[in-house]
Amino acid sequence: QSQELSQVQVDYHAALQALVEDGTRMVCTGRMHTDRICRFESLCYSTEAEEFVYFHSNSSVMLPNLGSRRFQPALLDLSSVEDHNTQYFNFVELPAAALKFMPKPVFVPDVALIANRFNPDNLMHVFHDDLLPIYYTMQQFSDLDLEARLFFMEGWSEGVHFDLYKLLSNKQPLLREQLKTLGRLLCFTKSYVGLSKITTWYQYGFVQPQGPKANILVSGNEIRQFTKFMMQKLNVTLEEGSSEEYIVVFSRTINRLILNEAELILALAQEFQMKTITVSLEEHSFSDIVRLISNASMLVSMHGAQLVMSLFLPRGATVVELFPYAINPEHYTPYKTLATLPGMDLQYIAWQNTDREDTVTYPDRPWDQGGIAHLDKAEQERIIKSTEVPRHLCCRNPEWLVRAYQDTKVNIPSLIHVIRQTVKSKPGPKKQKWSGSIYPGKVRDAKCQASVQGTSEAKLAVSWQIPWNLKYLKVREVKYEVWIQEQGENTYMPYILSHQNHTFSENIKPFTIYLVWIRCIFNKNLLGPFADVLLCST
Ligand code: UDP
């Protein structure tokens, strides 16, 4: 016992000495605060000041060394939401010598991932802003393995979905409040700060109205690698070739209700000749919902965070999103964007209630549940008369909220009609072949040979070899695109060819230099890179 204790004390003294002598070391990736993730040795946190602390000493490192640009506006985003001014990370600086006068540091031995959750009570935010970004940040840095520990600094309590966060590592995640119980000055031996934004597909409308991100970098493949991991952790096993096909209606029980849910379920079952079941976050365990959705042919739900569960649908399934009156489906597309990511292989259908008779509005509720009674009479009247919520910024637009929290009596024939425009026979998971797409390499050994006939006619014979990777692939259709550009001109003549050589004669002039660009195309839309440009003189 005493042996063990003294061992710990020796380690403690060694750790303290290292901190005093070496100080904090930071090396980051990313050029801007919005794409930066930093790795630290000996980053500390004062639970009294609620500030991170960087200790300067002889061996400390700070890369990037931004000087006061570190505050313009911050070193990095602590959540995955881009440039949100409540989610910035920074530290205060001290000389390591100051440690003599400070509380004794408590060392955190685990490799730490330090980040903010954005909105842990909303399932869409949980998956899109937290779980996927944490999962792929951990994939980016090999020492963030299952033994790493997550530290959530946003200051919320666990929240209703905390069990999901616990699946990402074997260690219990710690919240900001809990750090106080560990000590006054915590020092993280090794830590990473910030989250990768590479998997996010939606921006919530803080600076411009909400919509898909401008540059989406994730495909269905990475989404499904993540859901596979989550399903293993949840002990949900996919029943291969399981028998019965069915439809899931994901219902909300508190607000934004489907008023004729029983009728809807009967109609879907009747129309598609499939068992139709309902689930809700209030009445089912999370694993049960995942198990049911991961084998479903179709998922039907009101617009809302529960629709993020389409992450777990099998390839080939259909998502049907129902929108309340006056809410234009094209303006609220987090779930459409998800379903239509390349390689998600889901069919997406939006239905909107266009009939005032079928909507129930709650103008007298509190403002955060969509009430508008606090607005002046004229504004209330305008909102109630309006047939469409104009595009708006997040997050407290009363006109949006009052419409978003309406209940809807779904017009069954109209809904079935919309679904039938897309789903012709039976909906459902088709056993699909691997749908990843492989791009051609450069064409090889490109050559050209010119011949001149007289003073006005010339020909250009161009040939090349197939891209190196093609000989290992089965490709349905291989084509080549050739651009011929006269040197010094801005325009070019494009050709699509099936063979590996071609003699060009139209518009080819004698005694002229041509630039020839060649690339390979698989299956019409998989465009390869251009080979090095060929210079051809006639
Ligand atoms: N929620 C639910 N049933 C309800 C209302 C809400 O399960 O009747 C869930 C919803 O899926 C989300 C959270 O509660 O995870 C917050 O819902 P809110 O209406 O605030 O957000 P939205 O669904 O519009 O994103």
Side-chain angles (χ1 to χ4, degrees), residues 274-287:
M274 277 188 191
K275 190 168 86 178
T276 303
I277 57 176
T278 35
V279 299
S280 70
L281 287 171
E282 291 83 8
E283 290 152 337
H284 292 77
S285 75
F286 195 81
S287 347

Side-chain angles (χ1 to χ4, degrees), residues 121-123 252-256 281-282 304-306 405:
D121 282 342
N122 179 301
L123 201 57
R252 295 171 60 111
T253 60
I254 303 163
N255 54 41
R256 205 176 301 150
L281 287 171
E282 291 83 8
Q306 66 287 341
Y405 286 113

Side-chain angles (χ1 to χ4, degrees), residues 51 120 243 276 288 445 532:
E51 299 254 30
S243 47
T276 303
D288 283 344
D445 301 327
D532 291 347

Side-chain angles (χ1 to χ4, degrees), residues 135 146 167-168 225-233:
Y135 180 77
L146 289 173
L167 301 176
L168 295 172
Q225 300 293 340
F226 162 80
T227 52
K228 192 163 80 182
F229 170 87
M230 293 298 278
M231 287 170 69
Q232 276 163 0
K233 291 287 173 184

Side-chain angles (χ1 to χ4, degrees), residues 11 38 48 67 90 93 104 125 145 156-157 255 274 288 330 349 357 382-383 445 491 509 523 534:
D11 281 346
C38 294
E48 292 162 331
N90 238 318
E93 294 163 80
K104 280 185 76 170
H125 288 287
D145 55 19
W156 288 53
S157 57
N255 54 41
M274 277 188 191
D288 283 344
E330 287 303 310
I349 297 167
E357 302 261 286
R382 185 193 65 75
I383 289 175
D445 301 327
T491 58
K509 296 182 282 192
N523 302 333
L534 270 185

Side-chain angles (χ1 to χ4, degrees), residues 313-355:
L313 280 169
R315 292 178 189 282
T318 303
V319 179
V320 181
E321 181 169 11
L322 311 174
F323 288 83
Y325 182 78
I327 297 188
N328 183 339
E330 287 303 310
H331 297 177
Y332 308 92
T333 56
Y335 314 110
K336 177 186 182 177
T337 307
L338 168 61
T340 56
L341 286 177
M344 268 312 278
D345 300 331
L346 297 175
Q347 284 192 306
Y348 175 86
I349 297 167
W351 174 86
Q352 186 193 358
N353 173 23
T354 52
D355 194 341

Side-chain angles (χ1 to χ4, degrees), residues 4 91 128 183 323 332 454 470 473 479:
E4 238 173 63
F91 47 73
H128 177 268
F323 288 83
Y332 308 92
L470 177 55
L473 295 171
K479 289 263 164 85

